[in-house]
Amino acid sequence: MLIVQKYGGTSVGGLDRIANVAERVARAKKEGNDLVVVVSAMSGETNKLIEYASYFSKTPSRREMDMLLSSGERVTAALLAIALEEMGVPAIAMTGRQAGIRTDASHTFARIEEIDPAAIQDEIKNGKVIVVAGFQGINEHGQVTTLGRGGSDLSAVAVAGALHADACEIYSDVDGVYTTDPRIEPKAKKMDFISYDEMLELASLGAKVLQSRSVELAKKLGVKIVAKSSFSEAEGTIIAKEQEGMEEVLVSGIALDKNQARVTLRKVVDRPGIAAEIFTVLANEQINVDMIIQNASSDGMTNMGFTIPQSELERAKKVIGGFNKDIGGMDFDENVCKVSVVGVGMRSHSGVAALAFSTLAKNNINIEMISTSEIKVSMIINEKYGELAVRTLHDAYQLDK
Ligand code: ADP
Ligand code: ASP
Ligand code: MG
């Protein structure tokens, strides 16, 4: 078998843990498999590098951020290859570029466009374990790019797809995908199986056990993912195509995203094209806008509210500042979070959203914004009630049963 394994930050969070990963890899190799191992930076490393940059600038160049952030994964890739060699397992570490990972030009959240697997395939033929530095690639101008936070998951799925691997195993500190973050709700239940679509919603709504783009790509390429723990031998969760009978599960999980900020623009001059202009400059800055609300206008003025990732707030302030002629005033609230209920069964059942709203109401939690799709209900609330909301919703939908 050809197996792609990905080890996240906690799994390579120290030298002893890298040694543990080396043992697991060596074991899979001895069982007769070919292995490509994708690694993250040591846990906390990427955040530390971001903080270093913020010492100098609130809005550092995205290109330089990629130069900086891609270094964390190189360190662990090389260390794991050294550890494997020392155990008598031939290994070679590769950067994203060396592994043939080509991306578009969007620094700090580049999309993978193509993988040229030739170099990896050559080294597999030489009998080596290939250790790929996750989270990074190269664009057509030869510049290093990174793939967005949690992006090593995407590296792993893309490599698995390009190599037509027999398995794509993603190892972290949890032994699978749970009905909600088990750190918030200890009663959360592990799922044996979850469909791409539900996982995609959970992941894009904050369940960071898998990066949402990796799930999107897995669905597109038909790569079956198994989410497992590097600290145990437990079975894990399979993420694959929806199966017959799944519609019977009404709600499969609750997600919490604390990386949210709300922007409110007051007294916006209400003329055709104003929304287009504002959201175009945000898009040009590659700021991902979510949950837009515009009030009915009065006296030719309107109010607009929307949410963005908290980490993009400084950039957003800078570009919206350019509209001061058209906007009466603006507020920014970082103390919000998004709590979401996800399930494919919502397509065919009513009352799911109503139960979410009444559950929060019973707990005196005010809902500031709402958005829904076929298979999710998301609510923006005050950040301090985020975890309470997760637990009470988990109870209300009886996810512990
Ligand atoms: P890694 O660093 O290995 O990529 P992450 O920290 O990105 O791992 O993801 C694992 C974490 O995801 C867990 O520690 C857990 O707290 C969190 N998590 C959030 N939602 C869920 C969920 N529904 N199921 C499992 N883990 C979840
Ligand atoms: N090190 C990167 C991050 O922390 C990528 C990853 O861990 O997947 O976001
Ligand atoms: Mg992760």
Side-chain angles (χ1 to χ4, degrees), residues 6-10 38-47 50 69 72-73 134-136 146-155 208 211:
K6 178 260 170 173
Y7 292 93
T10 330
V38 176
V39 289
S40 288
M42 293 187 185
S43 57
E45 193 60 25
T46 307
N47 287 342
I50 291 173
L69 299 188
E73 271 63 14
F135 180 51
Q136 57 187 279
T146 63
L147 309 176
R149 295 309 304 270
S152 299
D153 296 341
L154 179 60
S155 309
K208 68 172 190 156
Q211 190 220 30

Side-chain angles (χ1 to χ4, degrees), residues 6-11 40 153 171-174 176-183 191 202 206-210 254:
K6 178 260 170 173
Y7 292 93
T10 330
S11 304
S40 288
D153 296 341
Y171 291 90
S172 70
D173 56 357
V174 272
V177 180
Y178 281 68
T179 47
T180 194
D181 188 341
R183 288 182 207 239
M191 298 180 237
L202 281 177
K208 68 172 190 156
V209 58
L210 286 174
I254 315 285

Side-chain angles (χ1 to χ4, degrees), residues 13-85:
L15 301 180
D16 52 334
R17 295 200 171 166
I18 293 176
N20 168 56
V21 168
E23 302 240 332
R24 295 182 80 106
V25 172
R27 206 188 323 144
K29 179 77 181 161
K30 282 206 185 88
E31 287 164 5
N33 301 298
D34 289 326
L35 278 148
V36 179
V37 182
V38 176
V39 289
S40 288
M42 293 187 185
S43 57
E45 193 60 25
T46 307
N47 287 342
K48 192 179 85 189
L49 295 171
I50 291 173
E51 213 171 298
Y52 284 171
S54 73
Y55 179 83
F56 300 103
S57 168
K58 275 182 163 180
T59 53
S61 137
R62 292 192 194 267
R63 181 202 179 272
E64 303 312 329
M65 287 310 285
D66 280 348
M67 284 299 291
L68 180 66
L69 299 188
S70 57
S71 68
E73 271 63 14
R74 276 179 86 143
V75 171
T76 44
L79 289 174
L80 179 58
I82 292 169
L84 284 166
E85 287 266 321

Side-chain angles (χ1 to χ4, degrees), residues 63-378:
R63 181 202 179 272
E64 303 312 329
M65 287 310 285
D66 280 348
M67 284 299 291
L68 180 66
L69 299 188
S70 57
S71 68
E73 271 63 14
R74 276 179 86 143
V75 171
T76 44
L79 289 174
L80 179 58
I82 292 169
L84 284 166
E85 287 266 321
E86 195 60 24
M87 293 165 72
V89 179
I92 179 169
M94 294 186 181
T95 62
R97 179 182 68 77
Q98 290 169 324
I101 301 177
R102 301 217 193 93
T103 72
D104 68 10
S106 325
H107 283 294
T108 74
F109 36 76
R111 283 186 179 275
I112 295 181
E113 290 188 328
E114 188 188 14
I115 293 195
D116 175 0
I120 294 182
Q121 279 162 339
D122 280 351
E123 295 296 354
I124 292 177
K125 280 195 206 111
N126 295 336
K128 293 197 178 165
V129 170
I130 295 90
V131 186
V132 178
F135 180 51
Q136 57 187 279
I138 190 112
N139 69 19
E140 61 172 335
H141 310 295
Q143 305 291 320
V144 177
T145 51
T146 63
L147 309 176
R149 295 309 304 270
S152 299
D153 296 341
L154 179 60
S155 309
V157 169
V159 167
L163 295 171
H164 305 288
D166 299 293
C168 179
E169 302 169 347
I170 298 206
Y171 291 90
S172 70
D173 56 357
V174 272
D175 54 10
V177 180
Y178 281 68
T179 47
T180 194
D181 188 341
R183 288 182 207 239
I184 298 176
E185 173 52 279
K187 286 187 288 183
K189 282 256 175 320
K190 185 168 86 182
M191 298 180 237
D192 297 330
F193 179 92
I194 183 169
S195 69
Y196 290 126
D197 289 333
E198 286 174 298
M199 190 64 235
L200 189 55
E201 288 286 358
L202 281 177
S204 45
L205 295 168
K208 68 172 190 156
V209 58
L210 286 174
Q211 190 220 30
S212 61
R213 282 167 153 199
S214 71
V215 183
E216 197 175 21
L217 188 67
K219 180 183 175 183
K220 191 169 139 198
L221 302 179
V223 171
K224 188 174 94 179
I225 301 175
V226 187
K228 290 178 151 187
S229 163
S230 65
F231 302 101
S232 80
E233 300 302 323
E235 278 289 322
T237 301
I238 295 170
I239 298 102
K241 248 180 30 209
E242 201 172 313
Q243 292 175 338
E244 296 265 322
M246 279 190 58
E247 297 258 336
E248 280 147 36
V249 185
L250 189 59
V251 165
S252 52
I254 315 285
L256 177 65
D257 186 352
K258 291 183 176 169
N259 177 26
Q260 292 279 309
R262 190 183 49 186
V263 179
T264 312
L265 307 180
R266 279 179 282 97
K267 297 201 172 149
V268 181
V269 177
D270 196 13
R271 59 172 167 79
I274 180 73
E277 285 167 33
I278 294 172
F279 292 110
T280 301
V281 294
L282 290 165
N284 289 346
E285 267 296 311
Q286 312 203 287
I287 296 168
N288 209 347
V289 176
D290 188 29
M291 288 218 203
I292 305 169
I293 292 182
Q294 180 175 341
N295 296 354
S297 72
S298 64
D299 304 329
M301 299 284 186
T302 184
N303 291 342
M304 264 182 217
F306 56 89
T307 58
I308 56 172
Q310 215 170 81
S311 43
E312 297 294 342
L313 193 55
E314 291 304 326
R315 282 180 207 278
K317 283 183 187 172
K318 208 165 151 182
V319 296
I320 298 170
F323 283 95
N324 52 14
K325 282 203 313 292
D326 291 310
I327 299 175
M330 42 190 119
D331 302 323
F332 303 95
D333 187 358
E334 287 183 73
N335 301 317
V336 295
C337 66
K338 178 161 65 183
V339 58
S340 308
V341 177
V342 173
V344 285
M346 282 184 209
R347 283 189 204 133
S348 47
H349 292 78
S350 54
V352 175
L355 178 58
F357 304 152
S358 57
T359 303
L360 297 194
K362 262 187 227 146
N363 287 277
N364 264 322
I365 300 172
N366 187 41
I367 303 172
E368 300 177 22
M369 285 169 140
I370 296 170
S371 83
T372 62
S373 80
E374 259 200 316
I375 65 167
K376 70 123 201 268
V377 181
S378 294

